[in-house]
Amino acid sequence: MNLDEYRGVWVFNEQRDGELVDVGLELLGAGRELADKLETELCGVLIGHNVKDLAAELFEHGADKVYLIDDPITEQYRTETYMKAAGDLVRKYKPEIFLYGATSNGKDLASAVATEVMTGLTADTTLLDVNVEKRLFEASRPAFGGNIMATILCKKHRPQMATVRPKVMKKPERQPGRTGEVIEETISMREEDLRTKIIDIVRDTKKGVNLEEADIIVAAGKGVKDEKGFKLVEDLATVLNATVGASRDVVEAGICGHDHQVGQTGATVTPKLYIAAGISGAIQHIVGMQNSEMIIAINNDPDAAIFNTAHYGIVGDLFEVLPLLTEEFKKALQEETEEGGVPSHA
Amino acid sequence: MSLESISEGRGKKLNILVCVKQVPDTKIIKVNPKTNTLDRSSAPAILNPYDAHAVQEAVRLKEIHGGKVTVLSMGPPQAKEAIKKCVEIGADEGFLISDRRFAGADTLATSYALYKAVQKLMKQDGGIDLILCGKHAIDGDTGQTGPGIARRLLIPPLTNVIKVAEVNLEDRKIQVHRKIEDGYELIESAIPCLLTVEKEINEVEYSPLPNMLKAARYTPIVWTVDDLEDVDIKQLGLKGSPTIVGKMWPPAKSEGAQILAGDSREQVREAVSIMLQQRELFKVKGGERV
Ligand SMILES: Cc1cc2nc3c(=O)[nH]c(=O)nc-3n(C[C@H](O)[C@H](O)[C@H](O)COP(=O)(O)OP(=O)(O)OC[C@H]3O[C@@H](n4cnc5c(N)ncnc54)[C@H](O)[C@@H]3O)c2cc1C
Ligand SMILES: Nc1ncnc2c1ncn2[C@@H]1O[C@H](COP(=O)(O)O)[C@@H](O)[C@H]1O
């Protein structure tokens, strides 16, 4: 493999129902930095059906080129078709770095493409850099349940690939009017030859389970003891218009559903505010919420590990503290509402 | 390897292969502060929790459709324990591929080695209808091995499965629910195919006594590289791994929380005023927060 044939930083820009997924735009920001350091181009990869118009958005977020595959066969994500589409592009245009959002589809696709073109892939990265001199991509990620950080390198194979966790990179500022070149390719597959078919997509519109995209999460730990304690968490969440999270022990006790679980074997979340009530702070929980912007912990044990990760701590009995929080917030937000419309000076 | 040969001559029963990994319990593992490497001896080895769900699902499907559940693992000799655990859950048979030459494999080299073992197993058993893997292994958290094996076998990977809705052995089709960010997809696939399973798919049940007894006496079959056929040694282990670990370091320790002072009400008042500083979170519009 002649490594010098490979140039350019690529980003897989996943779309769902014709809408770009945020993490792809975030990766255009991160990819731009890598491309600039390497003095090479940044390219978006857009696959779907009737998605051509989305290219403009990619240019405005920093892409120089967009590789487009637009075909009824790729309307919905399927490993079979997307792997072929992306694999063909890689073989033809030879990128040196290829980034994917660590979504269900992004991870699925990256894994398949890595095997298809026989290259290395680093999963769930949170930190990206590049050794310019060696043109070596440095993809770092938490490993072993978050106990350690590791930088993974792929020295002898190209492209160097990574999936990147959503919300870790900053979405770049939009530059209206910025344009670039669309390179359209076709896919040579026929529906009759495919072995998989999407029969239905069931969107879960039920509020309260989309932890990944929540701005505020109030999370319950085993300290809530039972449904009654859990209700106190829900009450606070209602007042804050927040999503309810939970530790695994709460889920396993049957107090709430698995879709509320935060942590290594649940959701990885990055809200602006995370309130942890009665959570001890086991590493498996921490890895799922440590990137929250502000973490407030309530625990009656002053030595609880959660206080190592939280920014602010309330040492106290959650059965007393939660109702007080709900009450104080109600009051405070009521006042804000009454001031509604008056510009704030804060 | 063609798709046909993987399931050639298959009858009306399900032959299921489950790939399982033994992993250190990450809850207990310690990092050596001097070398910044993991002290694996500090943590007991367990069956990867997702793989336990995969075995459970295979056993459930076997109970409905008949057939056989075989498990396959790559790892050091101790990994036999993980296979015995699978027998406890209800697997019929287990194979461990274990050899120095497999060591240091990343996901690409792992999927190659497992693929070679799958080929051999298919010859022995006359076919495999389904391959099940865990969503990911908790030591690497990559979830790349399953799709890698599927690609090598040229069978569809169905990842993040939360439910097997239907198995139709007549038409050789399966329907599963695949978890996506905001719901799930109902996908139909031809059999054979490979599934990676989420925890929601089932509850791992307490093992019935006969299984426990069987597991206690069970010895998994161990293969080395030499037991596999047409193996390209260059694609195995560290040599066959495109990725290498550069450096490792402990994650930044935060300074710890500022514990708020006073009685509960005072603490709460201060906390509320701190949180309210994030004004954009609590914006008000016409009496409705947005
Ligand atoms: C492979 C694996 C994967 C895992 N994945 C996850 C995961 O994804 N997510 C996850 O959360 N866990 C996960 N765990 C489990 C994890 O290790 C912990 O067991 C779990 O997070 C503990 O939950 P907890 O903090 O709610 O319960 P506990 O550890 O029991 O803590 C309860 C806390 O509440 C406090 N408390 C009790 N009463 C009160 C009161 N009245 N007022 C205030 N505080 C009170 C106690 O001081 C204690 O700190 C995993 C474990 C393994 C082995
Ligand atoms: N060494 C191994 N032996 C058997 N199966 C494995 C091995 N490594 C990974 N797998 C399978 O692949 C899944 C995903 O692992 P990973 O890609 O390492 O996250 C696991 O849940 C197993 O089903």
Side-chain angles (χ1 to χ4, degrees), chain A residues 16 104-105 108 116 141 144 149 151 153 195 197 199-200 202 204 239-240 284 307-308 311 313 328, chain B residues 27 36 38 140 151 154 159 178 181-182 184 186 188 190 244 246-247 249 254 257-258 260 265 289:
Chain A
R16 291 181 209 145
S104 299
N105 293 344
D108 184 291
E116 169 96 8
R141 60 180 304 243
F144 290 90
M149 287 290 293
T151 304
L153 309 170
R195 272 171 273 158
K197 191 163 77 195
I199 297 175
D200 198 7
V202 182
D204 198 342
V239 171
L240 295 179
Q284 290 87 0
F307 290 128
N308 298 331
H311 302 101
E328 290 289 328
Chain B
K27 190 172 175 176
N36 274 336
L38 293 158
R151 169 61 190 80
L154 298 174
T159 51
R178 172 173 182 258
E181 277 67 23
D182 52 355
Y184 68 87
L186 176 61
E188 182 176 87
I244 56 160
K247 60 173 191 231
W249 71 96
S254 81
Q258 178 190 334
L260 304 175
R265 184 163 300 262
R289 289 195 308 109

Side-chain angles (χ1 to χ4, degrees), chain A residues 221-222 247-248 261-265 278 280 284-285 299 317-318:
Chain A
K222 208 52 211 299
S247 72
R248 189 175 80 165
Q261 187 182 318
V262 172
Q264 189 191 351
T265 48
S280 60
Q284 290 87 0
H285 188 82
N299 200 303
D317 183 349
L318 66 86

Side-chain angles (χ1 to χ4, degrees), chain A residues 16 77 79 83 103-105 107-108 111-112 114-116 118-124 127 140-141 143-155 157 195-204 215-216 238-241 248 258 264-265 272-273 275 283-284 293-294 296 307-315 320-321 324-325 327-329 331-333 336-337 340 344 346, chain B residues 3 24-29 31 36-38 40 50 106-108 111 135-136 138-144 147-148 151-152 154-160 175 178-190 199-200 235 242-251 254-260 264-265 267-269 271-272 274-276 278-282 284 287-289:
Chain A
R16 291 181 209 145
Y77 178 83
T79 321
M83 171 179 83
T103 60
S104 299
N105 293 344
K107 292 182 74 149
D108 184 291
S111 307
T115 319
E116 169 96 8
M118 295 282 173
T119 191
L121 170 62
T122 307
D124 284 307
L127 205 70
S140 304
R141 60 180 304 243
F144 290 90
N147 284 292
I148 200 157
M149 287 290 293
T151 304
I152 313 294
L153 309 170
C154 174
K155 290 188 171 165
H157 293 71
R195 272 171 273 158
T196 51
K197 191 163 77 195
I198 309 289
I199 297 175
D200 198 7
I201 298 184
V202 182
R203 307 269 180 214
D204 198 342
D215 279 330
I216 309 180
T238 308
V239 171
L240 295 179
N241 204 4
R248 189 175 80 165
H258 181 272
Q264 189 191 351
T265 48
K272 299 213 168 68
L273 176 61
I275 303 177
I283 182 74
Q284 290 87 0
E293 219 162 276
M294 183 189 282
I296 308 231
F307 290 128
N308 298 331
T309 307
H311 302 101
Y312 298 96
I314 298 178
V315 177
E320 190 190 338
V321 172
L324 282 176
L325 268 174
E327 183 192 321
E328 290 289 328
F329 260 120
K331 264 198 264 169
L333 294 171
E336 294 235 350
T337 311
S344 120
Chain B
L3 169 70
D25 189 338
T26 50
K27 190 172 175 176
I28 304 171
I29 199 160
V31 174
N36 274 336
T37 52
L38 293 158
R40 281 174 187 263
Y50 290 96
D106 71 358
T107 51
L108 195 72
S111 70
K135 170 200 173 188
H136 64 214
I138 62 164
D139 55 352
D141 287 337
T142 78
Q144 291 164 193
R151 169 61 190 80
R152 291 178 186 277
L154 298 174
I155 61 173
L158 308 174
T159 51
N160 305 83
Q175 285 189 2
R178 172 173 182 258
K179 186 174 168 178
I180 50 176
E181 277 67 23
D182 52 355
Y184 68 87
E185 298 173 342
L186 176 61
I187 308 192
E188 182 176 87
S189 172
K199 291 205 155 174
E200 292 102 303
Q235 293 194 53
T243 60
I244 56 160
V245 179
K247 60 173 191 231
M248 297 230 244
W249 71 96
S254 81
E255 293 142 33
Q258 178 190 334
I259 303 291
L260 304 175
S264 291
R265 184 163 300 262
Q267 288 186 309
V268 163
R269 288 222 165 112
V272 168
I274 290 167
M275 288 188 257
L276 283 176
Q278 300 221 16
R279 294 199 65 91
E280 82 282 8
L281 276 183
F282 307 101
V284 185
E288 279 268 313
R289 289 195 308 109

Side-chain angles (χ1 to χ4, degrees), chain A residues 46-271:
Chain A
L46 189 56
I47 305 172
H49 182 46
N50 294 331
V51 293
K52 200 167 185 168
D53 291 347
L54 296 178
E57 226 176 301
L58 303 184
F59 296 134
E60 292 187 345
H61 284 91
D64 302 313
K65 278 184 190 163
V66 169
Y67 292 102
L68 173 72
I69 306 251
D70 202 301
D71 193 294
I73 214 168
T74 47
E75 173 154 13
Q76 277 144 346
Y77 178 83
R78 271 183 293 186
T79 321
E80 283 187 275
T81 52
Y82 275 58
M83 171 179 83
K84 175 83 166 77
D88 283 350
L89 288 174
V90 167
R91 278 184 285 262
K92 183 160 176 189
Y93 294 102
K94 302 187 172 19
E96 58 190 320
I97 294 175
F98 196 172
L99 308 175
Y100 308 72
T103 60
S104 299
N105 293 344
K107 292 182 74 149
D108 184 291
L109 177 63
S111 307
V113 171
T115 319
E116 169 96 8
V117 304
M118 295 282 173
T119 191
L121 170 62
T122 307
D124 284 307
T125 54
T126 55
L127 205 70
L128 307 177
D129 204 353
V130 69
N131 176 330
V132 175
E133 205 180 313
K134 295 185 178 143
R135 296 189 85 85
L136 198 58
F137 178 43
E138 299 172 336
S140 304
R141 60 180 304 243
F144 290 90
N147 284 292
I148 200 157
M149 287 290 293
T151 304
I152 313 294
L153 309 170
C154 174
K155 290 188 171 165
K156 296 185 189 140
H157 293 71
R158 293 292 179 272
Q160 309 167 86
M161 307 214 303
T163 60
V164 184
R165 290 225 177 125
K167 292 235 210 168
V168 177
M169 307 293 160
K170 279 249 164 332
K171 197 156 130 182
E173 197 88 25
R174 192 169 181 153
Q175 306 168 56
R178 190 179 179 281
T179 61
E181 182 189 357
V182 176
I183 297 161
E184 187 160 357
E185 289 285 337
T186 52
I187 178 168
S188 55
M189 278 185 138
R190 293 182 315 167
E191 188 63 50
E192 309 85 272
D193 299 331
L194 297 180
R195 272 171 273 158
T196 51
K197 191 163 77 195
I198 309 289
I199 297 175
D200 198 7
I201 298 184
V202 182
R203 307 269 180 214
D204 198 342
T205 46
K206 196 169 40 157
K207 217 179 150 7
V209 282
N210 196 347
L211 286 165
E212 271 98 350
E213 280 161 28
D215 279 330
I216 309 180
I217 293 174
V218 187
K222 208 52 211 299
V224 303
K225 294 197 176 66
D226 52 26
E227 277 80 2
K228 258 181 33 216
F230 189 73
K231 178 80 180 14
L232 300 178
V233 168
E234 289 181 312
D235 289 346
L236 177 58
T238 308
V239 171
L240 295 179
N241 204 4
T243 305
V244 175
S247 72
R248 189 175 80 165
D249 288 30
V250 171
V251 172
E252 290 197 341
I255 297 171
C256 68
H258 181 272
D259 42 359
H260 290 279
Q261 187 182 318
V262 172
Q264 189 191 351
T265 48
T268 301
V269 301
T270 45

Side-chain angles (χ1 to χ4, degrees), chain B residues 18-22 48 50-51 54 72-75 96-97 107 110 114 132-147 149 195-197:
Chain B
V18 190
C19 296
V20 304
K21 187 179 188 188
Q22 190 184 47
N48 180 36
Y50 290 96
D51 301 353
L72 169 64
S73 187
M74 176 177 88
L96 174 68
I97 56 170
T107 51
T110 301
L114 291 172
L132 265 55
C133 287
K135 170 200 173 188
H136 64 214
I138 62 164
D139 55 352
D141 287 337
T142 78
Q144 291 164 193
T145 307
I149 298 170
L195 276 48
T196 77
V197 309

